[in-house]
Amino acid sequence: MRELTAAQDAFRRRAEAFARDEVMPVANRLDPLREDVPDSLLARLAELGYFGIMIDEEHGGLGLGVLEYCLAAEELSRAWMSVASVIALANGALGPVAGERRDELLRRMARGEYLVAFALTEPQAGSDAANVVCAARRDGNDWIIEGRKRWCGWAKQAEAIMLFARTSEPSDPRRRHHGISMFLIEKERGTFPGGLDGHPIPKIGYHGITSWELTFTGLRLPPDALIGEEGRAFSYGMEEVTKGRVHTAARSIGAARGAFDEATAYAARRRAFDRPIGEFQAIRFALADMQTEIAAAQALNDTVARAWDRGEYAVAEASMTKLFASQMAERVTSEAMQILGGNGYTTDYPVERHWRDARLTRIFEGTSEIQRRIISDSLLGRP
């Protein structure tokens, strides 16, 4: 039904088999313990090339596009959404790092040896991303960082943190995004450098990736930690977030499919009133609606991913697919829990994991309300 080339479908099938045979057993074991994606699974992701899907072959990547990136993310999320999120820490996420340094880091990234956490959100700067107050000031040639960041996934385990900090105040209060700069904080995996501390944020789901609140108290960075033009980083950050919404839509679809798989199998084997519950019209119609919504979300997301691969900066379309897929995922995973009845409300079945993870997709990478704002602004202009 999906319009994929033979190569794209083969790539998807390989990801499907890997997720089913290797990711799912790890997820079923570690997610209830709230443990992170283990090093053994990271090594397999690197071996299969998932950290370099969108990195060119010259630098050791697969040289594929956003569509293939989303196909992999969808299949991985069908087993454990956190694994699909981990691959977003690579895949060329280096911003305007240039020259030989970029070449070296891309090669390390494709091998899974250089993962980059993204530190944009702050306690008072989430949906209002331009309200960044974490500050970077000059001290001679160095930079000193002071402030806090929140919701920085994989911050301690990564080899680097991409930090967005304010280096100057905007001259026009209507342009608060001016004066935000980007810094690459390089460090050893599993550590924080002096001047940076953090604590994990307790979450109801999305286990497998520890989300951190970070506190910067005089962190000193060298001059070359500044990436790109000073005070002009906000547009890059928003471009990455926008592309990330297509990836989030894929993760939403994967979570929905994982829950749908469980519900379909359960309906076939669970008996009530001397017959499988899948023979009851209420269950059959629920599954029909779930499958229809999943297929619609897949079609939309494939279309938007192809637009990005053509070089189109599809802002409103990225918001549309993120909005539709995340809303769909919450409905489908909730309905899957209903089909499982009381068993769906236990941790004996992975359906509750998909439900908890799907709920987050309506919030991160821009809430559903923010997506509606972007879409409506594209139609009517900003009020």
Side-chain angles (χ1 to χ4, degrees):
M1 185 175 179
R2 298 177 84 170
E3 295 182 4
L4 303 177
T5 66
Q8 288 166 342
D9 192 53
F11 178 82
R12 185 200 63 79
R13 290 178 183 276
R14 288 192 296 272
E16 178 184 34
F18 170 66
R20 180 189 63 239
D21 299 338
E22 299 187 50
V23 178
M24 180 70 84
V26 175
N28 290 343
R29 178 169 53 88
L30 295 185
D31 189 88
L33 303 176
R34 304 191 174 197
E35 293 190 13
D36 282 341
V37 176
D39 289 344
S40 58
L41 204 49
L42 295 178
R44 284 291 287 147
L45 290 167
E47 181 182 336
L48 295 170
Y50 291 127
F51 288 120
I53 294 172
M54 297 191 295
I55 296 175
D56 57 66
E57 294 180 88
E58 179 185 351
H59 292 97
L62 299 181
L64 301 174
V66 176
L67 178 59
E68 289 84 358
Y69 177 53
C70 287
L71 292 173
E74 181 183 326
E75 296 299 339
L76 294 173
S77 295
R78 198 173 171 185
W80 199 9
M81 194 173 79
S82 298
V83 176
S85 299
V86 166
I87 67 171
L89 303 171
N91 276 294
L94 287 172
V97 176
E100 294 181 1
R101 184 184 186 192
R102 182 178 183 84
D103 292 339
E104 175 198 354
L105 295 183
L106 282 175
R107 292 188 182 96
R108 290 179 60 193
M109 188 174 274
R111 296 194 299 266
E113 299 171 359
Y114 195 84
L115 304 185
V116 181
F118 198 76
L120 173 61
T121 300
E122 297 181 3
Q124 72 295 320
S127 295
D128 185 8
N131 199 34
V132 166
V133 296
C134 180
R137 60 176 175 83
R138 290 187 183 274
D139 184 36
N141 292 325
D142 292 344
W143 293 94
I144 305 296
I145 311 298
E146 302 277 354
R148 294 165 62 198
K149 290 290 177 180
R150 190 164 170 81
W151 297 112
C152 186
W154 211 253
K156 193 169 189 177
Q157 301 94 319
E159 280 76 21
I161 298 173
M162 191 72 76
L163 171 73
F164 291 78
R166 186 166 293 284
T167 50
S168 63
E169 293 298 324
S171 56
D172 185 344
R174 294 171 299 179
R175 291 176 169 79
R176 291 176 299 137
H177 60 286
H178 289 180
I180 298 174
S181 301
M182 184 165 53
F183 297 86
L184 188 64
I185 304 171
E186 298 191 273
K187 63 186 191 62
E188 292 185 13
R189 179 178 288 189
T191 68
F192 286 136
L196 171 58
D197 196 9
H199 66 265
I201 299 172
K203 301 176 295 187
I204 63 173
Y206 197 41
H207 307 313
I209 289 186
T210 299
S211 300
W212 293 85
E213 179 157 336
L214 305 176
T215 302
F216 298 86
T217 52
L219 173 67
R220 182 175 293 272
L221 297 177
D224 64 357
L226 176 67
I227 304 300
E229 185 179 354
E230 182 180 341
R232 299 291 181 181
F234 186 80
S235 59
Y236 167 74
M238 289 301 97
E239 182 175 345
E240 284 300 299
V241 167
T242 300
K243 186 162 57 177
R245 288 169 182 153
V246 189
H247 175 244
T248 299
R251 288 181 285 173
S252 304
I253 295 165
R257 288 180 64 201
F260 175 80
D261 293 342
E262 288 291 320
T264 304
Y266 189 86
R269 67 175 181 268
R270 172 70 171 177
R271 297 183 66 84
F273 306 101
D274 298 322
R275 68 185 67 180
I277 65 170
E279 292 187 7
F280 294 108
Q281 187 181 72
I283 302 297
R284 299 172 74 87
F285 280 13
L287 291 170
D289 288 343
M290 293 156 71
Q291 178 73 314
T292 300
E293 289 197 65
I294 289 170
Q298 285 175 325
L300 176 58
N301 205 51
D302 289 354
T303 298
V304 178
R306 288 191 180 95
W308 278 85
D309 285 335
R310 292 193 299 269
E312 299 176 21
Y313 186 35
V315 178
E317 292 79 2
S319 288
M320 290 177 196
T321 189
K322 197 270 187 187
L323 172 65
F324 184 80
S326 62
Q327 302 279 117
M328 174 278 297
E330 186 183 17
R331 289 192 299 271
V332 167
T333 55
S334 180
E335 192 64 32
M337 288 184 70
Q338 189 72 18
I339 290 172
L340 268 69
N343 287 329
Y345 203 67
T346 71
T347 56
D348 294 334
Y349 295 83
V351 112
E352 58 85 29
R353 175 172 78 243
H354 296 308
W355 174 67
R356 287 184 285 109
D357 290 349
R359 184 61 184 87
L360 178 62
T361 64
R362 287 184 55 196
I363 300 171
F364 68 179
E365 304 288 359
T367 63
S368 293
E369 291 72 25
I370 289 295
Q371 307 315 315
R372 292 186 175 101
R373 169 71 185 270
I374 293 168
I375 297 163
S376 60
D377 283 354
S378 74
L379 296 171
L380 301 170
R382 291 189 177 184

